[in-house]
Amino acid sequence: KLSDRTKFDIYREEVRNISNENYQKHFYYISNAKKRSREWHLDHKVSISYGFENGVDVDIIGHWKNLEVISSYDNVSKHTRCSVELSELMREINEA
């Protein structure tokens, strides 16, 4: 049986793969996308941790509507907190 830690690692890796694909595909729609660098991180508004803990599909957490590029300081400070509610994200995705 896989430990929860390993399950989380697999989930995170899947989300990151989807996120990177969507970052490239929807680059011009993602806030501050051009700034992505060591100082500017690709952030998930609804966090990967929240998604894992609440059984949210990886395609939703990795959706381009859930991505933004924010300063590394803000991203590290935010840690696993969400900057939007899942319900708000779902509404945005459904309107896309």
Side-chain angles (χ1 to χ4, degrees):
K1 178 182 176 303
L2 291 175
S3 72
D4 284 345
R5 185 73 204 140
T6 307
K7 286 178 188 170
F8 175 72
D9 291 337
I10 293 166
Y11 182 88
R12 181 177 54 201
E13 189 177 329
E14 283 182 44
V15 168
R16 286 188 174 158
N17 289 338
I18 292 164
S19 300
N20 284 320
E21 225 174 87
N22 284 328
Y23 170 78
Q24 291 169 358
K25 207 183 290 181
H26 302 280
F27 183 84
Y28 294 103
Y29 299 105
I30 296 169
S31 176
N32 291 319
K34 287 187 282 235
K35 290 185 175 182
R36 191 177 182 189
S37 62
R38 222 187 244 142
E39 291 82 28
W40 290 82
H41 295 175
L42 184 63
D43 176 60
H44 296 84
K45 298 174 195 176
V46 173
S47 73
I48 295 173
S49 295
Y50 178 92
F52 177 75
E53 289 163 10
N54 292 281
V56 181
D57 190 287
V58 291
D59 289 320
I60 291 169
I61 300 301
H63 195 281
W64 69 271
K65 288 272 191 174
N66 193 38
L67 304 176
E68 64 183 341
V69 175
I70 63 174
S71 75
S72 57
Y73 176 83
D74 287 342
N75 194 32
V76 170
S77 301
K78 181 180 169 258
H79 192 51
T80 61
R81 286 191 307 278
C82 300
S83 54
V84 298
E85 297 284 327
L86 179 61
S87 58
E88 186 181 331
L89 173 63
M90 294 306 297
R91 191 173 35 76
E92 284 187 34
I93 290 172
N94 291 327
E95 288 172 0

